[in-house]
Every structure is written in structure tokens, then in C-alpha cells.
């Protein structure tokens, strides 16, 4: 995989620019990768709803749950769908709005210095093998592109916002990701 350092875009991803982004305080300060999970409606996969949420176009009539979240202004840098498709919403050198109130190694506001990757899934249901393969390839490209990022700084959303978040959850196989990164 290849990341264009000038644009911050992953060549292999479909580009779908989210308005929910802004400039990082320091574009060189990328030292954390945060793994998330998302499915919309909860527990359902496929469909346009994740993209609609990140684009501020979620149709509240499509599902009752959407009325609760349609006001949110959130994004991630990248989404990895169940079939391995990559969708990029925010250039990596820009700040995506994925972490919320968060802290890592005594540093608050993780959006300032992290990259957020969403896996289409839920905390308690296993992720697809193709998602792990795609994630490992993405991580490899990120590590090769951003020198302050390293494999020891890959965390779950639950690790930086433990009072609020549980994703990617117990179903995420950290050991499998580690093994794939070594290959």
C-alpha cells in the first residue's frame, strides 16, 4: 500500500471527504494509531449509513437509532469494511474527529496526534480475516510514512477513553494483528 505524503491519501482507498476534519496543531505530530469499531444500525453491516454519518447526511427516518446520533459531527481517517474495502474520509496529515475526550500517555486530545481507523464491526462479534489483512497492510504503510508512529503505539478506543468507549472490544484479536505485522 502507498500513502501520498503530499495529499495524505492512501492510494488503495476510495476517497470520500468528510467535512468533519480540521488542521492538526502540528502536522508532523502523528504518533498514535487508534482502532475503533462501528456498525450502523448497531450490529448490521453494509449499506451507506457509516459514510452518511461521517458526511453529516444520516437519514433519521432510516432507523430509530439514527435519531440519537444524527447530531454528531464525527469522522475517522479510514474505514475498513467487512469485505476489506478501504474508504478514506480525512487525509492522514489532517485531524479527524474520532477520539473525543481522550488521553494517551498523559497527553489529552488524542485527535491532535493520532490516526483513527474504523473497522466495520461490533465489540463482541469477530472481525473478518480480510479486515485484519487490510488493517495490517494499512498499518505497514502508516509506519513507513510517519516516522513518529510505531507498532507499540497502536491502541483501541477503549484504551484512550476507557470511561466512555469499549471498542474495538473483546472480539478484536490483537495477537492476530501483531502476527500479521511481523509477516
Amino acid at each position: 500500500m502507498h500513502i501520498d505524503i503530499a495529499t495524505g491519501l492512501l492510494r488503495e482507498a476510495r476517497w470520500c471527504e468528510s467535512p468533519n476534519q480540521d488542521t492538526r496543531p502540528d502536522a508532523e505530530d502523528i504518533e498514535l494509531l487508534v482502532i475503533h469499531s462501528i456498525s450502523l444500525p448497531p450490529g448490521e453491516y453494509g449499506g451507506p449509513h457509516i459514510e452518511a454519518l461521517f458526511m453529516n447526511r444520516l437519514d433519521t427516518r432510516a432507523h430509530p437509532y439514527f435519531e440519537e446520533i444524527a447530531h454528531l459531527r464525527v469522522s475517522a481517517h479510514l474505514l475498513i469494511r467487512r469485505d476489506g474495502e478501504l474508504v478514506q474520509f480525512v487525509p492522514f496529515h489532517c485531524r479527524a474527529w474520532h477520539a473525543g475526550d481522550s488521553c494517551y500517555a498523559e497527553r489529552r486530545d488524542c485527535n491532535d496526534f493520532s490516526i483513527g481507523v474504523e473497522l466495520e464491526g461490533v465489540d463482541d462479534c469477530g472481525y473478518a480475516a480480510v479486515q485484519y489483512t487490510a488493517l495490517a497492510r494499512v498499518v505497514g504503510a502508516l509506519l513507513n510514512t510517519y516516522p513518529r508512529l510505531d507498532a507499540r503505539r497502536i491502541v483501541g478506543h477503549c484504551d484512550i477513553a476507557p470511561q466512555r468507549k469499549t471498542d474495538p472490544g473483546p472480539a478484536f484479536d490483537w495477537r492476530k494483528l501483531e502476527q500479521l505485522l511481523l509477516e
Side-chain angles (χ1 to χ4, degrees):
M1 292 203 175
H2 176 76
I3 297 170
D4 182 322
I5 193 71
T7 64
L9 299 180
L10 181 67
R11 181 184 305 154
E12 293 80 2
R14 180 168 52 87
W15 175 236
C16 185
E17 186 173 17
S18 172
N20 304 327
Q21 62 175 294
D22 56 9
T23 304
R24 291 181 188 272
D26 177 356
E28 302 296 314
D29 187 19
I30 298 172
E31 65 176 43
L32 183 66
L33 176 60
V34 181
I35 308 298
H36 302 263
S37 66
I38 188 171
S39 63
L40 290 177
E44 294 183 24
Y45 306 132
H49 306 303
I50 297 170
E51 288 181 35
L53 175 66
F54 291 165
M55 300 298 290
N56 302 334
R57 297 181 187 149
L58 193 59
D59 181 358
T60 58
R61 297 168 295 171
H63 190 276
Y65 176 69
F66 297 167
E67 291 179 19
E68 296 176 36
I69 63 169
H71 69 283
L72 297 175
R73 297 297 174 250
V74 295
S75 62
H77 290 91
L78 192 69
L79 167 67
I80 303 175
R81 292 202 169 269
R82 299 297 286 188
D83 63 1
E85 179 191 13
L86 304 170
V87 183
Q88 187 166 0
F89 297 94
V90 176
F92 294 120
H93 62 269
C94 293
R95 179 170 48 192
W97 303 347
H98 63 95
D101 183 18
S102 53
C103 183
Y104 175 78
E106 308 287 323
R107 288 187 72 185
R108 300 208 58 75
D109 303 319
C110 294
N111 286 337
D112 291 350
F113 58 94
S114 68
I115 290 173
V117 175
E118 294 273 4
L119 297 174
E120 187 175 28
V122 295
D123 290 12
D124 57 355
C125 182
Y127 296 88
V130 68
Q131 287 180 290
Y132 286 103
T133 301
L135 178 59
R137 293 182 67 218
V138 166
V139 170
L142 290 168
L143 294 175
N144 287 331
T145 305
Y146 299 101
R148 294 174 79 178
L149 188 62
D150 71 52
R152 295 168 300 184
R153 293 190 187 113
I154 302 172
V155 299
H157 199 185
C158 58
D159 298 313
I160 62 168
Q163 310 307 321
R164 298 182 309 109
K165 298 296 180 176
T166 59
D167 58 312
F172 186 76
D173 189 342
W174 289 99
R175 187 166 267 173
K176 182 173 190 162
L177 176 60
E178 290 172 16
Q179 290 170 344
L180 287 169
L181 291 174
L182 294 174
E183 292 179 2

